[in-house]
Amino acid sequence: MKKSVIQKLIGDIEVTRDLVLLLTIGGLYALSIALSNTFVNVYLWKQSGEFIDLALYNLTAVIFQPLTFILAGRWAKKIDRVIVLRLGVISLSGFYTTVLLLGDVANHYLIILGALLGIGFGFYWLAFNVLTFEITEPETRDFFNGFLGLLTSFAGMIGPIVSGYIITRMEKFTGYSVIFGISLSLFVVAVLMSFLLKRRAAEGKFFFRRILAERKKNPNWRHILHANFFQGLREGTFIFVIVVWVYIVTGSELAIGTYGLIASAVQFIAYYAATRLIKPSFRKKSILIGGSILYAAIYLIVFDLSFAKLIMYGVVISIAYPMLLVPYISLTYDVIGKGWKAAEMRIEYIVVREVFLNSGRIVSVLTFIVAILLFPEEKSIPVVLMILGIGHFLIYFFVRHVRFSKPNGGESYSFARQKNGDGGSTGGTTV
């Protein structure tokens, strides 16, 4: 009876020990990020009060992330993938340790903090995706993507509200130190859990340039890479602007937690529905609908900012993101799985995709920086959001050209993905 209930919830999926371990590590990561990363931007904002500082911090992170992906990809073909995963978690632990040690002068070390964060995300996500590739099967792809989304959404529900409560109940920056310390502890647990994963021996050369050039031969790969660039175009700026706007409007970290709780609760349900209801034949339409809603939602907040409208915005995008991401990520990795030598070059495909995704984020933050340097923030930021926010809507116009010549055109492989969105932090939750 117990088994049938579980099967009704998740479908007819074979769940292996390593898959459970990887989901657990992903869940610990998501909870740590939900507790702290949303508040790092606010922490830095309270110290400097300047959007340019937040932009420089986030720009450094999205520059170091693809550079680390390239390095991690090369190492993943020479050493155990699990070791690369540990390097990522250890780097993220170093980030939180540094924030704790710097205390109220953290805003003077934005480049160092951004670099540590980018390096941590680069190592972590490269290894996480490669391990997902090796642990999951084609038939478990949507389950893994969707269930990881559920875990992330659940973390997003409890993380920010708990952090917001702790911060508001303690004096000055004491609460921030507490939650950064908790995040550090969670990453330590994740490192220990990684020792339970089966060792994954590495072999082969790293053909980054060859897979980068593959876009000239494979139209599907080219379209997916262009889509990833425009995905990053929105994420780069929205990741830190929305959460700071919530704080500016309310002056309360608890309000940020409330925003995260409501948005993630809606997203939790939406991810489950998207995972169970969106079939391969409906993927492209779902991407179009989700992208359209995401862009339209921006107009709820750009002209007349209030906490009520920010909550409405959070609810709307929390419904739209799963509609977009679940089919989009599955389609992305179907393209990779059917690409040239996908089994041998899986690491290179992941790295090239990450380079395009972060290129979009870099362009996004640079655009934001130029705008606020040339024009008043209160006028330029809404305009920039309306321009950059179209990124997810444009994804459809690339993926609609993706075609598979025959059903058995190649074995389909599965990967996890780095979720990103509005109101979290780089590499954080889609909130």
Side-chain angles (χ1 to χ4, degrees), residues 57 64 118 130 177 198 208 215 240 318 337 341 378 393 431:
Y57 160 71
F64 272 84
V130 173
S177 297
K198 181 181 176 182
F208 172 76
R215 69 192 192 281
F240 63 91
S318 294
K341 292 189 176 181
E378 63 274 10
F393 173 69
V431 176

Side-chain angles (χ1 to χ4, degrees), residues 242-243 245-260 262 301 304-314:
I242 301 301
V243 68
W245 268 7
V246 173
Y247 182 75
I248 290 173
V249 168
T250 63
S252 168
E253 286 88 354
L254 189 58
I256 299 172
T258 303
Y259 173 90
I262 294 172
I301 56 175
D304 182 25
L305 195 62
S306 68
F307 185 54
K309 288 191 174 182
L310 282 164
I311 292 292
M312 288 174 58
Y313 169 83

Side-chain angles (χ1 to χ4, degrees), residues 39 158-170 175 179 252-258:
F39 291 92
I158 63 174
I161 194 70
V162 169
S163 295
Y165 178 78
I166 290 173
I167 291 169
T168 54
R169 299 290 289 185
M170 295 185 174
I179 62 167
S252 168
E253 286 88 354
L254 189 58
I256 299 172
T258 303

Side-chain angles (χ1 to χ4, degrees), residues 42-49 103-108 173:
V42 177
Y43 184 67
L44 297 174
W45 167 265
K46 290 181 74 171
Q47 291 183 15
S48 73
D104 56 8
V105 296
N107 66 304
H108 297 305
F173 292 116

Side-chain angles (χ1 to χ4, degrees), residues 261-276:
L261 174 64
I262 294 172
S264 292
V266 173
Q267 193 178 76
F268 186 88
I269 298 169
Y271 256 107
Y272 180 77
T275 304
R276 301 291 286 156

Side-chain angles (χ1 to χ4, degrees), residues 58-363:
N58 283 276
L59 178 64
T60 306
V62 297
I63 288 174
F64 272 84
Q65 192 168 329
L67 294 175
T68 306
F69 252 83
I70 296 171
L71 176 63
R74 189 177 300 278
W75 285 3
K77 284 206 161 184
K78 294 183 178 180
I79 62 175
D80 193 324
R81 287 92 153 96
V82 178
I83 293 175
V84 178
L85 182 74
R86 287 180 200 142
L87 285 173
V89 180
I90 289 168
S91 297
L92 290 168
S93 301
F95 167 78
Y96 285 110
T97 301
T98 305
V99 172
L100 284 169
L101 292 174
L102 290 175
D104 56 8
V105 296
N107 66 304
H108 297 305
Y109 299 90
L110 297 170
I111 305 301
I112 293 174
L113 291 174
L116 280 172
L117 192 66
I119 291 169
F121 286 149
F123 279 126
Y124 174 86
W125 280 108
L126 184 281
F128 193 89
N129 277 311
V130 173
L131 288 169
T132 303
F133 171 91
E134 295 175 345
I135 289 169
T136 59
E137 300 295 335
E139 58 269 17
T140 63
R141 172 179 299 110
D142 284 342
F143 163 74
F144 189 91
N145 281 336
F147 199 82
L148 187 61
L150 286 174
L151 287 176
T152 306
S153 296
F154 182 70
M157 280 192 286
I158 63 174
I161 194 70
V162 169
S163 295
Y165 178 78
I166 290 173
I167 291 169
T168 54
R169 299 290 289 185
M170 295 185 174
E171 293 183 5
K172 206 175 180 183
F173 292 116
T174 306
Y176 282 98
S177 297
V178 171
I179 62 167
F180 294 157
I182 294 172
S183 288
L184 176 59
S185 301
L186 290 173
F187 278 125
V188 171
V189 174
V191 171
L192 295 176
M193 289 204 67
S194 72
F195 284 94
L196 300 175
L197 286 168
K198 181 181 176 182
R199 292 182 67 84
R200 307 275 166 173
E203 60 181 15
K205 294 183 179 180
F206 186 60
F207 294 99
F208 172 76
R209 292 183 180 178
R210 175 62 182 82
I211 299 305
L212 182 63
E214 180 66 11
R215 69 192 192 281
K216 298 177 182 178
K217 301 178 181 180
N218 184 343
N220 284 349
W221 182 227
R222 182 173 65 251
H223 295 319
I224 285 296
L225 289 178
H226 291 163
N228 272 271
F229 173 85
F230 282 99
Q231 177 188 351
L233 194 66
R234 173 169 175 145
E235 291 178 353
T237 296
F238 277 70
I239 274 168
F240 63 91
V241 169
I242 301 301
V243 68
V244 173
W245 268 7
V246 173
Y247 182 75
I248 290 173
V249 168
T250 63
S252 168
E253 286 88 354
L254 189 58
I256 299 172
T258 303
Y259 173 90
L261 174 64
I262 294 172
S264 292
V266 173
Q267 193 178 76
F268 186 88
I269 298 169
Y271 256 107
Y272 180 77
T275 304
R276 301 291 286 156
L277 299 177
I278 298 175
K279 305 302 179 185
S281 60
F282 190 67
R283 280 177 178 171
K284 293 179 182 178
K285 288 182 181 177
S286 182
I287 290 168
L288 174 61
I289 294 169
S292 300
I293 295 172
L294 283 169
Y295 185 57
I298 298 169
Y299 292 90
L300 287 170
I301 56 175
V302 290
F303 297 119
D304 182 25
L305 195 62
S306 68
F307 185 54
K309 288 191 174 182
L310 282 164
I311 292 292
M312 288 174 58
Y313 169 83
V315 169
V316 171
I317 68 168
S318 294
I319 295 170
Y321 262 117
M323 294 178 66
L324 173 82
L325 288 177
V326 170
Y328 170 54
I329 299 303
S330 294
L331 183 64
T332 295
Y333 294 124
D334 274 347
V335 170
I336 293 175
K338 295 176 188 296
W340 178 75
K341 292 189 176 181
E344 298 172 40
M345 303 294 170
R346 56 190 179 271
I347 293 174
E348 287 86 343
Y349 278 107
I350 294 171
V351 173
V352 171
R353 172 186 172 269
E354 191 69 21
V355 167
F356 272 77
L357 179 63
N358 278 284
S359 295
R361 292 173 180 162
I362 291 168
V363 170

